[in-house]
């Protein structure tokens, strides 16, 4: 299949590589020329604009940083909607607010184009391994069309409901993740300060009612989980700046819905303070450093 892939950053590039590996022909566009050259060597075709990429494609995929980029790439003069043919399926995998996803989808619908939102979880490791989870907001028909292609980049392809619901699922999950990481950090740091071996404490939590992904898979205390960023100086993983972005999306969506997110707002402020200290590039589990005396 000829696929336009726009936005080839930390996530988009490995996703595009998996599609090339699966035998698709890719029309590539990004502002970063270096990544275009690298993917062209694998057989991708470089396009001059989102419009150019979309023009001759049977499917369009975008993976961009934030809502402003999505608006620009779809609605701009040289954007996807200026080039895409009516009836072409389109899917945006960026993490953005549900409102923008619905607005861009409505603009696409006006010219006979069905657009889905399909944000992902699984990080850059999952993108490279082709094991991402896609949370898809789409009509039944569009979901059925997209499912086999998304399955070449991911393991779990979940139909969440109509357009926008993929983003809702993603921001609610990350709201909870941001909060639970802070909870585990507080408990681990308190146990340490009171004098229990942190490995024993983690073992108790992970076989008791406090257990969660932040404690048993991604524990923020160094040396508990070998494969977690905490055991390699909080490098790699999911940057605090990205968590901050997702908590911003959740609190803004909550404001629009007149829905309280009390712990989410506190969590947002804690990651904001972490960013101000210059630690926004560290994995988000480094939030635990705010609870420890520097060594
Ligand atoms: P990134 O910043 O590494 O990549 C974004 C790419 O988009 C860059 O290559 C940039 O040049 C390109 N771009 C920006 N504006 C453009 C434009 N107008 N036209 C064409 N290309 C443009 O970001 P990423 O880490 O790949 O994340 C992409 C999305 O996935 C974000 O919404 C992020 O929140 C989400 N996400 C990221 C992760 C992660 O672990 N990195 C995990 C899950 C979801």
């Amino acid at each position: 299949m000829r696929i336009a892939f726009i936005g080839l950053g930390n996530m988009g590039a490995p996703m595009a590589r998996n599609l090339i590996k699966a035998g698709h022909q890719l029309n590539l566009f990004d502002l970063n020329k270096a990544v275009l050259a690298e993917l062209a060597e694998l057989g991708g075709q470089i396009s001059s604009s989102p419009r150019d990429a979309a023009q001759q494609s049977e499917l369009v995929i975008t993976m961009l940083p934030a809502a402003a980029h999505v608006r620009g790439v779809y609605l701009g003069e040289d954007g996807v909607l200026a080039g895409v043919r009516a009836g072409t399926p389109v899917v945006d995998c960026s993490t953005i607010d549900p409102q923008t996803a619905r607005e861009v989808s409505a603009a696409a619908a006006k010219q006979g184009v069905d657009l889905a939102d399909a944000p992902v979880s699984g990080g850059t490791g999952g993108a490279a391994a082709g094991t991402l989870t896609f949370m898809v907001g789409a009509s039944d028909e569009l979901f059925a069309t997209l499912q086999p292609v998304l399955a070449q980049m991911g393991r779990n392809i979940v139909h969440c409901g109509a357009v926008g619901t993929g983003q809702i699922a993603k921001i609610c999950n990350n709201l909870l993740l941001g909060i639970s990481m802070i909870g585990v950090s507080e408990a681990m740091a308190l146990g340490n300060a009171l004098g229990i071996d942190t490995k024993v404490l983690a073992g108790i939590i992970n076989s008791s009612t406090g257990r969660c992904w932040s404690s048993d898979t991604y524990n923020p205390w160094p040396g508990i989980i070998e494969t977690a960023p905490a055991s390699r100086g909080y490098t790699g993983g999911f940057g605090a700046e990205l968590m901050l972005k997702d908590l911003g999306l959740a609190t803004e969506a909550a404001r629009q819905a007149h829905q309280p997110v009390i712990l989410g707002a506190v969590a947002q402020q804690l990651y904001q303070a972490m960013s101000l200290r210059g630690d926004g590039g560290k994995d988000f589990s480094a939030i635990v450093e705010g609870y420890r005396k520097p060594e």
Side-chain angles (χ1 to χ4, degrees), residues 42-97:
L42 300 179
Q45 186 93 29
I46 299 177
S47 303
S48 58
S49 65
R51 173 190 185 151
D52 179 37
Q55 234 154 16
Q56 292 132 39
S57 297
E58 297 156 273
L59 168 67
V60 178
I61 302 177
T62 50
M63 188 49 157
L64 297 156
H69 309 88
V70 172
R71 282 183 195 280
V73 162
Y74 279 94
L75 310 176
E77 209 176 301
D78 263 335
V80 169
L81 295 189
V84 69
R85 288 173 296 197
T88 308
V90 177
V91 55
D92 176 41
C93 299
S94 326
T95 301
I96 60 168
D97 62 290

Side-chain angles (χ1 to χ4, degrees), residues 122-194:
T124 51
T131 56
L132 293 169
T133 292
F134 285 85
M135 294 158 255
V136 188
S139 62
D140 290 345
E141 200 187 0
L142 181 57
F143 179 76
T145 305
L146 294 175
Q147 203 279 341
V149 181
L150 298 182
Q152 291 171 329
M153 300 180 284
R155 191 180 282 155
N156 302 311
I157 321 299
V158 184
H159 191 190
C160 299
V163 67
T165 56
Q167 301 295 353
I168 294 171
K170 169 80 184 173
I171 62 179
C172 291
N173 179 70
N174 280 19
L175 171 75
L176 180 55
L177 174 63
I179 295 168
S180 74
M181 185 55 77
I182 293 167
V184 173
S185 295
E186 275 190 19
M188 293 300 298
L190 176 63
N192 180 61
L194 296 177

